[in-house]
Amino acid sequence: MHMSTREYVKNLIKDRNIASITPTSKKGVEEICSRMDLSNPVTIIEYGPATGVFTNYLLERITVDSKIIAIELNKNFADYLKKNTKDERLLVHHDHAGNVEQILDFHQAGPADYVISGIPFSLLDASDRDDIIRKTSEVLKPWGKFLPYQTFFQKDEHLKLYLEKYFSVVKDNYFLRNFPPMRVYEAIK
Ligand SMILES: C[S@@+](CC[C@H](N)C(=O)[O-])C[C@H]1O[C@@H](n2cnc3c(N)ncnc32)[C@H](O)[C@@H]1O
């Protein structure tokens, strides 16, 4: 069952951290997920899954022994995902991405192969951005990838400069076949 647009927008009005008027399009999801190799068992961490457009796409493609740890700050979305995406490879936490290390310890999981993130870094203050991006690099395997996406108008100070501080390679592209267009990053540890 999909969350209706009306329900999605109702959540958006109440919670500015959702920050996007629509879920990422199928093309956007494909573009970002094409940067992952899903042919082997992987541990993926997802920040801000909301209604699960990435989560469901990935669950259809990862191996039986892979897992996804999803961390969602909005309780309605976390509850929705828990209720509607029942798969033993998925672990959903209603929590802040800044608690990623404790969540991995709790599951005796990690390090991760990939972290994907839809959270709006522009709304975080500088110390929270730095903290989340540093912790993300720490929970990844060597050569693991962090794949955050943002709306296209984000400034380098919102994310790119922090990625360059903690990752050895940072690629950055615009993806226009999404509304609104996205700025997609690929940061390799
Ligand atoms: C722009 S939406 C992206 C939703 C979905 N991944 C997509 O692509 O359609 C951002 C999501 O991040 C969540 N979020 C915002 N700040 C967060 C944080 N610090 N930790 C975890 N989730 C957060 C919001 O509640 C919202 O569901």
Side-chain angles (χ1 to χ4, degrees):
M1 192 184 77
H2 286 290
M3 182 175 280
S4 67
T5 305
R6 190 161 161 267
E7 278 298 302
Y8 182 93
V9 172
K10 256 165 63 188
N11 281 305
L12 172 66
I13 291 164
K14 283 193 244 146
D15 181 356
R16 73 193 281 266
N17 291 316
I18 296 171
S20 175
I21 48 169
T22 49
T24 303
S25 67
K26 177 85 188 289
K27 290 267 175 256
V29 172
E30 281 170 356
E31 159 67 26
I32 293 166
C33 295
S34 71
R35 295 154 191 250
M36 303 183 203
D37 175 6
L38 304 176
S39 59
N40 293 308
V42 283
T43 297
I44 300 173
I45 301 171
E46 181 175 11
Y47 300 155
T51 55
V53 283
F54 282 90
T55 326
N56 284 299
Y57 180 91
L58 287 167
L59 284 169
E60 284 169 18
R61 286 161 179 81
I62 55 175
T63 64
V64 286
D65 42 359
S66 293
K67 60 170 141 332
I68 302 177
I69 297 170
I71 309 174
E72 173 53 61
L73 192 60
N74 180 287
K75 188 169 185 318
N76 290 342
F77 284 154
D79 289 346
Y80 174 86
L81 199 56
K82 279 184 201 165
K83 195 165 155 224
N84 291 288
T85 308
K86 289 211 172 20
D87 186 308
E88 60 191 20
R89 298 169 299 169
L90 174 66
L91 304 159
V92 181
H93 283 258
H94 169 222
D95 209 328
H96 191 288
N99 292 326
V100 61
E101 290 169 315
Q102 292 89 318
I103 293 169
L104 279 191
D105 287 348
F106 176 79
H107 289 295
Q108 299 181 316
D113 299 272
Y114 301 104
V115 179
I116 55 173
S117 169
I119 67 176
F121 282 93
S122 58
L123 299 182
L124 298 175
D125 65 33
S127 75
D128 278 346
R129 285 176 199 155
D130 193 272
D131 187 56
I132 292 177
I133 294 161
R134 178 180 52 77
K135 286 176 178 163
T136 302
S137 79
E138 285 168 5
V139 299
L140 278 163
K141 290 180 183 167
W143 302 105
K145 276 187 194 173
F146 181 34
L147 298 166
Y149 50 93
Q150 305 273 275
T151 35
F152 69 104
F153 49 81
Q154 301 300 326
K155 300 184 185 134
D156 288 353
E157 300 89 273
H158 292 157
L159 182 55
K160 192 174 186 196
L161 300 185
Y162 298 89
L163 295 174
E164 287 170 344
K165 185 169 165 194
Y166 294 110
F167 289 85
S168 54
V169 178
V170 178
K171 299 180 200 165
D172 162 20
N173 316 98
Y174 288 91
F175 182 72
L176 305 177
R177 287 155 76 199
N178 190 70
F179 182 78
M182 291 192 292
R183 192 166 179 190
V184 178
Y185 305 85
E186 182 172 337
I188 302 172
K189 190 167 167 179

PDB file of all heavy atoms in Angstrom, residues 55-56 59 79-92:
ATOM      1  N   THR A  55      13.933   2.324  -0.173  1.00  0.00           N
ATOM      2  CA  THR A  55      13.935   1.083   0.611  1.00  0.00           C
ATOM      3  C   THR A  55      13.307  -0.055  -0.188  1.00  0.00           C
ATOM      4  O   THR A  55      13.866  -1.150  -0.295  1.00  0.00           O
ATOM      5  CB  THR A  55      13.112   1.302   1.909  1.00  0.00           C
ATOM      6  OG1 THR A  55      13.272   2.651   2.348  1.00  0.00           O
ATOM      7  CG2 THR A  55      13.518   0.339   2.987  1.00  0.00           C
ATOM      8  N   ASN A  56      12.138   0.198  -0.759  1.00  0.00           N
ATOM      9  CA  ASN A  56      11.430  -0.866  -1.494  1.00  0.00           C
ATOM     10  C   ASN A  56      12.171  -1.255  -2.763  1.00  0.00           C
ATOM     11  O   ASN A  56      12.261  -2.434  -3.100  1.00  0.00           O
ATOM     12  CB  ASN A  56       9.992  -0.438  -1.788  1.00  0.00           C
ATOM     13  CG  ASN A  56       9.162  -0.547  -0.517  1.00  0.00           C
ATOM     14  OD1 ASN A  56       9.014  -1.633   0.035  1.00  0.00           O
ATOM     15  ND2 ASN A  56       8.669   0.573  -0.018  1.00  0.00           N
ATOM     16  N   LEU A  59      15.084  -3.379  -1.600  1.00  0.00           N
ATOM     17  CA  LEU A  59      14.693  -4.712  -1.101  1.00  0.00           C
ATOM     18  C   LEU A  59      14.421  -5.669  -2.254  1.00  0.00           C
ATOM     19  O   LEU A  59      14.629  -6.867  -2.139  1.00  0.00           O
ATOM     20  CB  LEU A  59      13.461  -4.602  -0.194  1.00  0.00           C
ATOM     21  CG  LEU A  59      13.738  -4.049   1.205  1.00  0.00           C
ATOM     22  CD1 LEU A  59      12.429  -3.725   1.933  1.00  0.00           C
ATOM     23  CD2 LEU A  59      14.581  -5.018   2.049  1.00  0.00           C
ATOM     24  N   ASP A  79       6.658   4.703  11.413  1.00  0.00           N
ATOM     25  CA  ASP A  79       5.586   3.734  11.685  1.00  0.00           C
ATOM     26  C   ASP A  79       5.010   3.192  10.380  1.00  0.00           C
ATOM     27  O   ASP A  79       4.717   2.008  10.262  1.00  0.00           O
ATOM     28  CB  ASP A  79       4.453   4.386  12.494  1.00  0.00           C
ATOM     29  CG  ASP A  79       4.881   4.662  13.930  1.00  0.00           C
ATOM     30  OD1 ASP A  79       5.922   4.120  14.344  1.00  0.00           O
ATOM     31  OD2 ASP A  79       4.180   5.432  14.616  1.00  0.00           O
ATOM     32  N   TYR A  80       4.858   4.073   9.397  1.00  0.00           N
ATOM     33  CA  TYR A  80       4.307   3.669   8.102  1.00  0.00           C
ATOM     34  C   TYR A  80       5.212   2.615   7.448  1.00  0.00           C
ATOM     35  O   TYR A  80       4.747   1.589   6.958  1.00  0.00           O
ATOM     36  CB  TYR A  80       4.188   4.904   7.204  1.00  0.00           C
ATOM     37  CG  TYR A  80       3.759   4.590   5.790  1.00  0.00           C
ATOM     38  CD1 TYR A  80       2.415   4.482   5.457  1.00  0.00           C
ATOM     39  CD2 TYR A  80       4.717   4.384   4.797  1.00  0.00           C
ATOM     40  CE1 TYR A  80       2.027   4.169   4.163  1.00  0.00           C
ATOM     41  CE2 TYR A  80       4.335   4.073   3.502  1.00  0.00           C
ATOM     42  CZ  TYR A  80       2.998   3.976   3.192  1.00  0.00           C
ATOM     43  OH  TYR A  80       2.622   3.660   1.914  1.00  0.00           O
ATOM     44  N   LEU A  81       6.505   2.878   7.489  1.00  0.00           N
ATOM     45  CA  LEU A  81       7.458   1.957   6.857  1.00  0.00           C
ATOM     46  C   LEU A  81       7.468   0.609   7.586  1.00  0.00           C
ATOM     47  O   LEU A  81       7.462  -0.454   6.954  1.00  0.00           O
ATOM     48  CB  LEU A  81       8.847   2.607   6.882  1.00  0.00           C
ATOM     49  CG  LEU A  81       9.890   2.088   5.925  1.00  0.00           C
ATOM     50  CD1 LEU A  81       9.410   2.143   4.479  1.00  0.00           C
ATOM     51  CD2 LEU A  81      11.180   2.907   6.064  1.00  0.00           C
ATOM     52  N   LYS A  82       7.428   0.653   8.920  1.00  0.00           N
ATOM     53  CA  LYS A  82       7.427  -0.599   9.701  1.00  0.00           C
ATOM     54  C   LYS A  82       6.197  -1.423   9.358  1.00  0.00           C
ATOM     55  O   LYS A  82       6.258  -2.632   9.227  1.00  0.00           O
ATOM     56  CB  LYS A  82       7.366  -0.287  11.209  1.00  0.00           C
ATOM     57  CG  LYS A  82       8.706   0.070  11.789  1.00  0.00           C
ATOM     58  CD  LYS A  82       8.574   0.270  13.289  1.00  0.00           C
ATOM     59  CE  LYS A  82       9.716   1.087  13.810  1.00  0.00           C
ATOM     60  NZ  LYS A  82       9.514   1.623  15.137  1.00  0.00           N
ATOM     61  N   LYS A  83       5.068  -0.735   9.208  1.00  0.00           N
ATOM     62  CA  LYS A  83       3.811  -1.439   8.999  1.00  0.00           C
ATOM     63  C   LYS A  83       3.695  -1.983   7.572  1.00  0.00           C
ATOM     64  O   LYS A  83       3.173  -3.070   7.356  1.00  0.00           O
ATOM     65  CB  LYS A  83       2.681  -0.438   9.265  1.00  0.00           C
ATOM     66  CG  LYS A  83       1.359  -1.068   9.440  1.00  0.00           C
ATOM     67  CD  LYS A  83       0.370  -0.078  10.049  1.00  0.00           C
ATOM     68  CE  LYS A  83      -1.020  -0.513   9.646  1.00  0.00           C
ATOM     69  NZ  LYS A  83      -1.859   0.569   9.214  1.00  0.00           N
ATOM     70  N   ASN A  84       4.183  -1.195   6.605  1.00  0.00           N
ATOM     71  CA  ASN A  84       3.910  -1.534   5.206  1.00  0.00           C
ATOM     72  C   ASN A  84       5.043  -2.247   4.489  1.00  0.00           C
ATOM     73  O   ASN A  84       4.831  -2.771   3.398  1.00  0.00           O
ATOM     74  CB  ASN A  84       3.538  -0.282   4.424  1.00  0.00           C
ATOM     75  CG  ASN A  84       2.196   0.217   4.876  1.00  0.00           C
ATOM     76  OD1 ASN A  84       1.179  -0.388   4.580  1.00  0.00           O
ATOM     77  ND2 ASN A  84       2.204   1.296   5.649  1.00  0.00           N
ATOM     78  N   THR A  85       6.229  -2.243   5.066  1.00  0.00           N
ATOM     79  CA  THR A  85       7.329  -2.925   4.388  1.00  0.00           C
ATOM     80  C   THR A  85       7.858  -3.990   5.333  1.00  0.00           C
ATOM     81  O   THR A  85       8.801  -3.761   6.080  1.00  0.00           O
ATOM     82  CB  THR A  85       8.430  -1.918   3.985  1.00  0.00           C
ATOM     83  OG1 THR A  85       7.800  -0.869   3.258  1.00  0.00           O
ATOM     84  CG2 THR A  85       9.490  -2.539   3.109  1.00  0.00           C
ATOM     85  N   LYS A  86       7.197  -5.112   5.318  1.00  0.00           N
ATOM     86  CA  LYS A  86       7.597  -6.180   6.239  1.00  0.00           C
ATOM     87  C   LYS A  86       8.575  -7.096   5.507  1.00  0.00           C
ATOM     88  O   LYS A  86       8.212  -7.798   4.570  1.00  0.00           O
ATOM     89  CB  LYS A  86       6.368  -6.959   6.699  1.00  0.00           C
ATOM     90  CG  LYS A  86       5.491  -6.167   7.643  1.00  0.00           C
ATOM     91  CD  LYS A  86       4.792  -7.096   8.614  1.00  0.00           C
ATOM     92  CE  LYS A  86       4.027  -6.447   9.738  1.00  0.00           C
ATOM     93  NZ  LYS A  86       3.598  -5.130   9.697  1.00  0.00           N
ATOM     94  N   ASP A  87       9.819  -7.011   5.937  1.00  0.00           N
ATOM     95  CA  ASP A  87      10.858  -7.816   5.310  1.00  0.00           C
ATOM     96  C   ASP A  87      11.923  -7.990   6.381  1.00  0.00           C
ATOM     97  O   ASP A  87      12.341  -6.996   6.995  1.00  0.00           O
ATOM     98  CB  ASP A  87      11.413  -7.046   4.082  1.00  0.00           C
ATOM     99  CG  ASP A  87      12.394  -7.866   3.272  1.00  0.00           C
ATOM    100  OD1 ASP A  87      13.349  -8.399   3.849  1.00  0.00           O
ATOM    101  OD2 ASP A  87      12.211  -7.951   2.051  1.00  0.00           O
ATOM    102  N   GLU A  88      12.327  -9.222   6.640  1.00  0.00           N
ATOM    103  CA  GLU A  88      13.256  -9.409   7.765  1.00  0.00           C
ATOM    104  C   GLU A  88      14.632  -8.799   7.509  1.00  0.00           C
ATOM    105  O   GLU A  88      15.425  -8.644   8.439  1.00  0.00           O
ATOM    106  CB  GLU A  88      13.351 -10.878   8.178  1.00  0.00           C
ATOM    107  CG  GLU A  88      13.833 -11.771   7.090  1.00  0.00           C
ATOM    108  CD  GLU A  88      13.675 -13.248   7.440  1.00  0.00           C
ATOM    109  OE1 GLU A  88      12.863 -13.574   8.333  1.00  0.00           O
ATOM    110  OE2 GLU A  88      14.379 -14.048   6.815  1.00  0.00           O
ATOM    111  N   ARG A  89      14.916  -8.410   6.262  1.00  0.00           N
ATOM    112  CA  ARG A  89      16.203  -7.754   5.977  1.00  0.00           C
ATOM    113  C   ARG A  89      16.170  -6.261   6.297  1.00  0.00           C
ATOM    114  O   ARG A  89      17.183  -5.581   6.221  1.00  0.00           O
ATOM    115  CB  ARG A  89      16.556  -7.947   4.497  1.00  0.00           C
ATOM    116  CG  ARG A  89      16.726  -9.413   4.120  1.00  0.00           C
ATOM    117  CD  ARG A  89      16.794  -9.570   2.625  1.00  0.00           C
ATOM    118  NE  ARG A  89      15.580  -9.099   1.984  1.00  0.00           N
ATOM    119  CZ  ARG A  89      15.422  -8.907   0.678  1.00  0.00           C
ATOM    120  NH1 ARG A  89      16.426  -9.159  -0.141  1.00  0.00           N
ATOM    121  NH2 ARG A  89      14.283  -8.482   0.183  1.00  0.00           N
ATOM    122  N   LEU A  90      14.979  -5.745   6.633  1.00  0.00           N
ATOM    123  CA  LEU A  90      14.829  -4.304   6.912  1.00  0.00           C
ATOM    124  C   LEU A  90      14.652  -4.042   8.403  1.00  0.00           C
ATOM    125  O   LEU A  90      13.767  -4.624   9.040  1.00  0.00           O
ATOM    126  CB  LEU A  90      13.608  -3.755   6.152  1.00  0.00           C
ATOM    127  CG  LEU A  90      13.238  -2.298   6.472  1.00  0.00           C
ATOM    128  CD1 LEU A  90      14.330  -1.335   6.008  1.00  0.00           C
ATOM    129  CD2 LEU A  90      11.903  -1.932   5.817  1.00  0.00           C
ATOM    130  N   LEU A  91      15.471  -3.142   8.947  1.00  0.00           N
ATOM    131  CA  LEU A  91      15.363  -2.736  10.354  1.00  0.00           C
ATOM    132  C   LEU A  91      15.090  -1.238  10.359  1.00  0.00           C
ATOM    133  O   LEU A  91      15.906  -0.453   9.866  1.00  0.00           O
ATOM    134  CB  LEU A  91      16.682  -3.035  11.070  1.00  0.00           C
ATOM    135  CG  LEU A  91      17.145  -4.501  10.979  1.00  0.00           C
ATOM    136  CD1 LEU A  91      18.631  -4.632  11.241  1.00  0.00           C
ATOM    137  CD2 LEU A  91      16.339  -5.357  11.945  1.00  0.00           C
ATOM    138  N   VAL A  92      13.920  -0.854  10.866  1.00  0.00           N
ATOM    139  CA  VAL A  92      13.541   0.572  10.838  1.00  0.00           C
ATOM    140  C   VAL A  92      13.675   1.170  12.229  1.00  0.00           C
ATOM    141  O   VAL A  92      13.170   0.599  13.201  1.00  0.00           O
ATOM    142  CB  VAL A  92      12.069   0.744  10.358  1.00  0.00           C
ATOM    143  CG1 VAL A  92      11.681   2.220  10.308  1.00  0.00           C
ATOM    144  CG2 VAL A  92      11.853   0.080   9.000  1.00  0.00           C
TER     145      VAL A  92
END
